[in-house]
Amino acid sequence: MGLGDGLTIRVPGDKSITQRALILGAMAHGESRIGAAPRGADPLATANALRALGVPIHGLDGPATAPIRIEGPGPRRWRQPRSSVDLHNSGTGARLLAGALAAQPLSVVLRGDESLSRRPMRRIAEPLRRMGATVEHLEGGGVLPMRVAGGALREIRHDGRVASAQVKSAILLAATGAGVPVEVREPRRSRDHGERMLEAMGVQLREGWQDGAWSVRIDAPPGRLAPLDMDVPGDFSSASFLLAWAVLAGQTPRLTIRGVGLNPTRTGFLAVLKRMGVEAEAAERGDAGGEPYGDLLVAAPERGLRAVAVGGEEVTGMIDEVPILAVLAARAEGVTRITGARELRVKESDRLAALAVNLRRIGVRVKELPDGLEIDGTSRALAGRVECFRDHRIAMAFGVLGAAPGCDIPVDDPGVADVSFPGFWRLLERVGDEARGRDRSARSTKKEQSRCPVVAIDGSAGAGKSTTAAAVAARLGFRHLDSGAIYRAVTLALLDSASGAGEVESISTAELEALGIDVHWGDAGMEVRIRGERAREEDLRAHRVTAAVSRVSAVPAVRAHLLELQRSAAEGPGLVAEGRDMGTVVFPEAALKVYLDADPRERARRRILQQGGAEPDAAEVEAEVARLRARDARDSTRVVAPLLKAADAQRLDTTDLDPETQIERIVQLVARALKQARSPLPAP
Ligand code: DC
């Protein structure tokens, strides 16, 4: 298989590695740099917990391309937090932090959200107590909330009953933090991200099989840990969903995923794919923080998928990939048997139960075993709604299956994918579109646009896009499509409907139809209608609509429903289409795409003036800048239709431009784009 022929993508950074890097950076002495760290919910929860413990962490609010910097205060220098420390949904964060806290002379209560508070903590608490820390489950049951009071620890040897990278890391962190030797043994070899990072920070480890157990020893922990300087590789588990997509997509070209972590304790899924008849390869390219990384290549099997048996040691190296393996098994020939995966019952959900229930719901025969599943593959059409149980991997696994030919599988909670893979649904859609070539609707768009030039305008809040788009349209005699007004009309109609907007995430096509949203073009421009009645501007801009519209517009079914309506606006001499996804989804072939931006202070100033305020002073501007930044971060990281500049959009910085100049610039850009479109470069 060669690189370059077919699709090439990247996936977000590995969150296990990121969370370990954050905690180890906070234990180190000096400044650590963690590049390409994903800003998903779990890493943010861990970083915020460390901040609450007095560790300065910078760059978290920046884009994922900007590095995170951690000022490691050195050994046992964390501060007593004022209240309990919340790890939200991060199991890795809670368990590893418990280990690191065992070495700190503090008394800290760790808590988590409802789902994390059901996950077992006793397996961490017990060895930490033997080391000399006080660990109490404040509400019993061996779960969170849990108080960890640490300090001087003693050496132990831990014989784990199950292989668990989190337990192993917690004990290694406790020992390293306290400066005492330790040995951790486990029946199978679990992931070794912690060990690799500790080595990169100057800790000497001795590892190997001994009397049937995998043993990791630290004999002489150093007084201080050297800071880390690394770029987080792409998450193999996230990549595995796309590998599976390529396998299921049928006539797909080859898929290459670049820069993925290839730690051998994580890549067990590749061997299983090969046994299923898939051509899959990993090409190592380098090393970061002790972690190997490289490119993954996969091609769909020519003769269909074969069922496999997976169990024992092999499952440990692909435990997170069991959900995606289960959906592949649904499409394989024969019965796939997965065993040795009991651990999955205590993940974000009881994954074995969640997989069994959902596979049955879509028409797959499946038997649930105490520690696994037996799945009878089928080539019949699979359809039905699946329940995610707040579990990102369940959502993504069925999302991948739903994207395969002959499957119609809506998931009830797509947003949960955000936990480990922000942008998952967008990427799935993109690879799908690319693999199919240009899909039907894009072709119809192209036809319409050959008659009607489209200018797509988008931009950050306060950059002046609405007024600019309207004025440009007026100057050119084009229609002005205000897509935000259409999303507002849907929201208004929903709020006024019997069911309200409460369950919009599960809205059906029929219910969307029934809202009766339409657009009419008259002398005064665009008019949005709700069941034939013009929606009034003041109703569309009412506070209750503004408060609900971002949730409504994040629902994929709503967006899909509005697609053709928006495309039908491209008629007449030309169209200025304003809003979120105009240049990426609705009019991907727009003649010109403009992305308006401005210095945050200027954007803040304009917003205050726009809302009817007087010329603001510096403090008012700063306060608005903070609100804008928070909104930018939310807007650009949301899963569905995030605010992002289209790759081929021209960025126009309007900071120093008065409105008239701004409009003039865009009109000139339009003229140039239209001229180029009329006279394409002669063929060589
Ligand atoms: O631009 P506006 O404030 O009227 O937009 C209303 C909401 O709709 C805002 O939350 C962004 C969202 N929106 C969207 O998701 N996609 C669009 N094409 C336009 C607006």
Side-chain angles (χ1 to χ4, degrees), residues 30-381:
E31 187 178 282
S32 288
R33 188 198 69 93
I34 318 292
R39 304 319 203 247
D42 284 1
L44 286 182
T46 297
N48 285 325
L50 291 165
R51 279 176 164 172
L53 291 161
V55 180
I57 300 184
H58 310 286
L60 271 186
D61 309 323
T65 44
I68 293 177
R69 292 182 189 281
I70 308 161
E71 289 178 43
R76 299 177 289 283
R77 297 281 299 278
W78 290 357
R79 282 203 319 256
Q80 180 66 36
R82 270 192 280 271
S83 52
S84 60
V85 170
D86 190 352
L87 274 305
H88 299 273
N89 193 243
S90 173
T92 304
R95 295 192 175 118
L96 267 59
L97 211 50
L101 279 168
Q104 301 274 344
L106 307 170
S107 169
V108 176
V109 175
L110 299 178
R111 62 189 167 89
D113 67 8
E114 199 204 334
S115 138
L116 181 56
S117 305
R118 281 197 300 268
R119 297 175 63 183
M121 293 292 152
R122 209 171 262 142
R123 50 171 83 174
I124 304 279
E126 186 273 328
L128 295 180
R129 278 191 203 115
R130 277 204 297 128
M131 294 179 89
T134 306
V135 186
E136 298 166 85
H137 303 286
L138 298 184
E139 289 167 21
V143 294
L144 296 182
M146 179 167 91
R147 177 188 301 282
V148 182
L153 301 182
R154 57 182 165 265
E155 173 178 357
I156 62 162
R157 179 174 117 171
H158 176 74
D159 262 298
R161 228 172 13 91
V162 288
S164 162
Q166 291 177 352
V167 173
K168 178 175 60 177
S169 292
I171 299 170
L172 296 179
L173 293 193
T176 310
V180 296
V182 75
E183 179 179 3
V184 182
R185 291 156 59 91
E186 44 183 5
R188 293 185 203 141
R189 188 175 178 185
S190 66
R191 298 177 183 185
D192 66 353
H193 298 308
E195 290 93 305
R196 285 170 184 265
M197 240 174 259
L198 282 168
E199 269 177 337
M201 299 173 87
V203 180
Q204 277 187 4
L205 295 126
R206 284 203 294 154
E207 298 169 274
W209 288 102
Q210 242 182 26
D211 313 323
W214 180 255
S215 156
V216 181
R217 292 175 64 140
I218 300 176
D219 292 321
R224 334 174 131 168
L225 289 175
L228 278 168
D229 183 358
M230 66 181 288
D231 290 319
V232 177
D235 188 334
F236 181 87
S237 298
S238 298
S240 70
F241 290 102
L242 276 305
L243 294 179
W245 166 81
V247 169
L248 290 175
Q251 25 79 325
T252 176
R254 289 165 176 179
L255 178 70
T256 303
I257 312 180
R258 287 202 198 275
V260 181
L262 297 178
N263 183 316
T265 60
R266 290 285 297 280
T267 52
F269 183 54
L270 288 179
V272 176
L273 278 179
K274 284 184 196 158
R275 290 215 300 281
M276 296 181 94
V278 177
E279 224 185 307
E281 265 174 39
E284 207 171 306
R285 307 241 171 256
D287 191 289
E291 294 283 343
Y293 68 87
D295 300 329
L296 289 174
L297 296 83
V298 70
E302 276 169 22
R303 266 181 254 103
L305 283 173
R306 291 194 295 268
V308 275
V310 182
E313 177 71 23
E314 190 171 43
V315 175
T316 317
M318 55 162 293
I319 194 76
D320 284 341
E321 282 66 73
V322 170
I324 194 66
L325 171 63
V327 307
L328 284 179
R331 277 299 191 221
E333 194 184 330
V335 176
T336 290
R337 190 175 153 83
I338 305 168
T339 52
R342 191 186 297 271
E343 185 64 15
L344 289 182
R345 297 213 179 267
V346 290
K347 292 286 183 178
E348 282 83 336
S349 69
D350 176 343
R351 285 190 178 147
L352 296 179
L355 287 166
V357 159
N358 284 318
L359 285 169
R360 273 188 211 119
R361 244 178 231 169
I362 59 173
V364 180
R365 278 215 303 247
V366 52
K367 185 166 161 203
E368 194 176 334
L369 311 171
D371 65 340
L373 296 166
E374 272 178 13
I375 299 159
D376 192 356
T378 171
S379 56
R380 279 200 317 269

Side-chain angles (χ1 to χ4, degrees), residues 382-567:
L382 299 175
R385 191 180 174 73
V386 306
E387 198 181 335
C388 299
F389 302 98
R390 301 291 311 150
D391 189 329
H392 53 126
R393 297 207 198 281
I394 299 295
M396 292 190 282
F398 285 95
V400 165
L401 187 57
C407 295
D408 180 13
I409 308 175
V411 300
D412 70 339
D413 187 8
V416 71
D418 229 6
V419 167
S420 61
F421 200 155
F424 169 74
W425 299 101
R426 208 166 6 112
L427 186 57
L428 195 60
E429 203 172 298
R430 202 193 95 200
V431 290
D433 283 350
E434 283 184 28
R436 282 189 295 273
R438 197 149 287 130
D439 70 353
R440 237 178 311 126
S441 42
R443 253 184 270 135
S444 72
T445 315
K446 190 172 182 181
K447 217 167 16 158
E448 275 153 16
Q449 282 173 38
S450 62
R451 285 187 278 115
C452 168
V454 175
V455 179
I457 297 192
D458 194 6
S460 34
K465 70 179 163 207
S466 325
T467 33
T468 309
V472 168
R475 274 279 300 273
L476 295 167
F478 285 10
R479 282 180 171 183
H480 170 213
L481 173 70
D482 174 1
S483 60
I486 304 180
Y487 283 97
R488 286 173 179 276
V490 173
T491 309
L492 176 62
L494 262 176
L495 289 172
D496 288 343
S497 71
S499 43
E503 312 230 331
V504 58
E505 281 79 10
S506 55
I507 197 163
S508 68
T509 315
E511 286 164 323
L512 280 163
E513 278 307 331
L515 294 175
I517 306 297
D518 203 358
V519 168
H520 177 81
W521 296 92
D523 290 343
M526 178 180 122
E527 189 180 300
V528 196
R529 293 182 176 178
I530 304 176
R531 276 189 230 95
E533 292 270 333
R534 185 177 77 87
R536 293 184 318 165
E537 189 63 21
E538 57 268 38
D539 292 336
L540 293 177
R541 308 234 150 240
H543 179 70
R544 65 187 182 117
V545 173
T546 302
V549 64
S550 70
R551 190 170 148 218
V552 172
S553 65
V555 177
V558 172
R559 304 199 77 82
H561 179 70
L562 296 180
L563 204 53
E564 283 312 314
L565 180 62
Q566 296 176 87
R567 286 184 180 159

Side-chain angles (χ1 to χ4, degrees), residues 540-621:
L540 293 177
R541 308 234 150 240
H543 179 70
R544 65 187 182 117
V545 173
T546 302
V549 64
S550 70
R551 190 170 148 218
V552 172
S553 65
V555 177
V558 172
R559 304 199 77 82
H561 179 70
L562 296 180
L563 204 53
E564 283 312 314
L565 180 62
Q566 296 176 87
R567 286 184 180 159
S568 68
E571 250 184 42
L575 177 73
V576 176
E578 169 209 338
R580 202 46 60 97
D581 52 353
M582 294 298 114
T584 47
V585 177
V586 184
F587 300 109
E589 305 196 23
L592 174 69
K593 300 175 188 177
V594 183
Y595 188 89
L596 300 178
D597 208 353
D599 178 83
R601 286 198 181 73
E602 177 58 18
R603 287 166 51 204
R605 190 186 143 259
R606 288 181 195 168
R607 275 178 73 84
I608 294 170
L609 294 177
Q610 207 176 40
Q611 286 154 11
E615 186 63 48
D617 63 23
E620 286 164 331
V621 168

